[in-house]
Each structure stands twice: as C-alpha cells, then as structure tokens.
Amino acid sequence: MSMEKYPRNPIEQRKAAVRKHTRNGVIWVGGGVVGGLALTLLSGGWIWIILGLVIAVAGGLSSYRKVNRIINHKDNY
C-alpha cells in the first residue's frame, strides 16, 4: 500500500474504494440499529425500531452492492 493520497494504480484505487464503501456500510447499519433502539426507548413506540432496521438494511445493502461490483470488476487488457 502506497502513501499517496490518490493512488494511480487501478488495483490500489479499487482497494481504497472497497475500504471506503465497507466503512460506510458499517456506519449505516450501526446508525440505523442504534438510532432505532434509541428512539424506541425514548418514545416507547415499536415503529421506530422497525424504521431503524429498514434504514440499516437499506444502507448496508447499498454498500454491499457497491463493494460487490468493485470486487467482481474484470480488467480488459
């Protein structure tokens, strides 16, 4: 792994993109679950935990698809 902020090597670029999207996926899932639980405890309504889980699944699935697309990329030389 190079110390460059913006690597020119396409493999390094894909590795950086996978790391970025993986981090974003974890943040979406964690935020959705914790936010849903917090709102459920504060308001007492079960709808908030369901909404939090829907947000967590949607954000996680979006990041998963981006990572999967990067991993399955085929270079045409």
Side-chain angles (χ1 to χ4, degrees):
M1 189 166 149
S2 68
M3 297 300 290
E4 294 178 25
K5 186 172 183 179
Y6 301 108
R8 295 183 182 190
N9 182 355
I11 296 171
E12 288 293 326
Q13 287 176 340
R14 285 195 294 270
K15 285 181 182 179
V18 165
R19 287 185 198 105
K20 178 183 129 184
H21 293 302
T22 303
R23 261 192 319 267
N24 288 345
V26 169
I27 290 170
W28 272 103
V29 170
V33 170
V34 170
L37 287 174
L39 285 172
T40 300
L41 292 175
L42 291 175
S43 68
W46 283 97
I47 190 72
W48 296 110
I49 196 162
I50 294 169
L51 183 62
L53 292 175
V54 167
I55 290 171
V57 169
L61 187 62
S62 171
S63 295
Y64 168 77
R65 285 184 180 165
K66 289 177 185 177
V67 169
N68 201 11
R69 202 173 324 136
I70 293 168
I71 290 173
N72 291 330
H73 176 74
K74 300 287 184 198
D75 287 326
N76 296 324
Y77 293 113

